Amino acid sequence: MGQIPVSLLTLVVGIMVTAFSIWLGQHHNLLPVQASQQAPLVDGFFNIMFTIAIVLFVLVEGTILLFLIKYRRRRGDNTDGFPIEGSFPLEVFWTAIPAFIVIVLGVYSVDVYGRMGGLESGNNVHGAQVAQTSETATAAMNHGDGNKITKPPEIGIGKSPIEQAKLPDLEVNVTGMQFAWLFNYPESGVTMSELHVPIGADVQLNIAATDVIHSLWVPQFRIKQDAIPGMTTRLRFVATKPGTYPIVCTELCGGYHGSMRSQVVVETADEFASWLKESQIAQNKADASTTLAMNPAGLSNSDFLSPHTQKMGVNPATIAQLQK
Ligand SMILES: [Cu+2]
């Protein structure tokens, strides 16, 4: 290296590695499109973690490569290596740095979770924990008879601090079951196998499960919530980009877990209104001509769902067919 002082060289390398990592941390294409208000918060956090990972990767792998070449065994050199036995300052140094990084990331992640609405205590009206029975949870399935969840779900992503005491614009009762999702719109009584939401609307999903634990995930929204038998969980989000995005079950829930997929359609308020109206008409027709004509309110949940669940092993599209 001749005349260049080592400290200057280290500084230059450090600046270059940092600049490269920051740039790559912002310009990777690893994540799907951001389609919700919550998405940029999660991505901001991911990008910082990714930037730190690139710095560490480049430094560690770069040092290994450099040392491989610089300190390789020369021809005819059969002497032993220089004996090195630990270094206390070095140990402190490389323990302190990861500890610092982990603490900063921990604090930042709690901040992001809070801004997404994850820290809101659901039943803040009375501040008391309300034990929800399985009746309450299955009421979320709501067979079009106008049942509404009365107690707010306590677990999951709630309203963000910005939304304060506002009620959601739209509530949808979601039921996860082996192996499909059902989406019920309590206001109109429509139950469908795919989710539609208006763009810009503050949507709350009240999520229940009939059998085992499922997990509702929309990658483009960057939100995910378990569906747990016996309790209602929630997801609150604002979709910001029109389009059709996958809904994926991310909790291994049985043999056909991999086929437990649906989709969420983000559309304009007008499109949403006409979809809801059409679905309502189609559903009423189906009710009039099939066994579903029996008053669903008079049936137990399992009776009502039996025409669906028998076909459940195939795929959610089958249920959509049943409802047309
Ligand atoms: Cu599942």
Side-chain angles (χ1 to χ4, degrees):
M1 296 293 152
Q3 312 301 326
I4 309 167
V6 175
S7 58
L8 184 63
L9 196 69
T10 313
L11 185 69
V12 171
V13 169
I15 289 172
M16 277 166 61
V17 168
T18 308
F20 170 73
S21 304
I22 289 173
W23 180 84
L24 196 59
Q26 304 294 324
H27 293 87
H28 61 82
N29 271 322
L30 295 171
L31 299 173
V33 64
Q34 298 178 341
S36 81
Q37 241 169 40
Q38 281 72 12
L41 295 170
V42 176
D43 289 8
F45 183 57
F46 177 86
N47 290 349
I48 284 187
M49 284 199 297
F50 193 55
T51 302
I52 294 170
I54 300 164
V55 171
L56 290 176
F57 180 82
V58 171
L59 286 184
V60 171
E61 299 302 316
T63 309
I64 289 175
L65 283 178
L66 189 73
F67 280 29
L68 264 178
I69 297 161
K70 196 171 179 206
Y71 300 109
R72 69 187 184 277
R73 193 181 73 88
R74 310 294 164 133
R75 193 181 293 275
D77 178 6
N78 287 325
T79 56
D80 283 340
F82 186 72
I84 299 171
E85 215 188 303
S87 161
F88 183 69
L90 209 54
E91 296 275 357
V92 170
F93 176 73
W94 68 41
T95 306
I97 287 182
F100 175 74
I101 291 173
V102 167
I103 289 167
V104 168
L105 288 180
V107 170
Y108 184 30
S109 69
V110 171
D111 173 58
V112 166
Y113 193 56
R115 280 190 281 156
M116 289 172 73
L119 299 180
E120 189 223 0
S121 65
N123 194 32
N124 51 9
V125 185
H126 306 293
Q129 294 276 317
V130 176
Q132 290 187 322
T133 61
S134 58
E135 276 89 351
T136 320
T138 43
M141 304 196 313
N142 190 325
H143 312 139
D145 51 3
N147 283 343
K148 250 189 158 182
I149 291 180
T150 46
K151 291 164 194 159
E154 291 170 47
I155 297 173
I157 303 288
K159 57 177 178 279
S160 68
I162 312 157
E163 285 149 353
Q164 292 295 333
K166 252 181 66 195
L167 286 169
D169 299 327
L170 174 70
E171 275 192 75
V172 185
N173 296 330
V174 182
T175 308
M177 64 189 73
Q178 291 170 316
F179 297 93
W181 296 107
L182 285 183
F183 302 94
N184 168 260
Y185 293 77
E187 312 254 294
S188 55
V190 166
T191 303
M192 298 300 278
S193 65
E194 68 175 25
L195 177 64
H196 283 235
V197 295
I199 187 165
D202 181 8
V203 180
Q204 177 164 313
L205 305 182
N206 302 315
I207 306 169
T210 55
D211 36 41
V212 297
I213 299 177
H214 303 274
S215 183
L216 186 135
W217 179 38
V218 182
Q220 286 75 2
F221 290 176
R222 311 287 194 275
I223 49 170
K224 178 154 83 168
Q225 178 57 51
D226 277 7
I228 305 166
M231 65 162 68
T232 310
T233 54
R234 76 191 147 179
L235 269 184
R236 194 156 159 174
F237 61 90
V238 176
T240 52
K241 221 182 177 81
T244 302
Y245 310 108
I247 294 174
V248 184
C249 177
T250 57
E251 192 69 64
L252 180 58
C253 59
Y256 293 90
H257 160 69
S259 70
M260 189 167 163
R261 283 168 165 260
S262 180
Q263 54 188 22
V264 51
V265 179
V266 180
E267 54 200 359
T268 64
D270 287 348
E271 285 167 339
F272 174 75
S274 60
W275 171 82
L276 204 59
K277 194 141 216 148
E278 278 165 33
S279 307
Q280 212 167 4
I281 294 165
Q283 193 163 309
N284 289 341
K285 258 189 211 156
D287 283 356
S289 59
T290 68
T291 52
L292 297 180
M294 283 185 285
N295 180 7
L299 294 175
S300 76
N301 290 328
S302 58
D303 283 346
F304 175 80
L305 288 168
S306 61
H308 303 285
T309 46
Q310 275 163 17
K311 299 274 182 182
M312 219 50 93
V314 189
N315 66 45
T318 318
I319 310 156
Q321 289 302 316
L322 278 168
Q323 286 166 342
K324 277 177 185 155

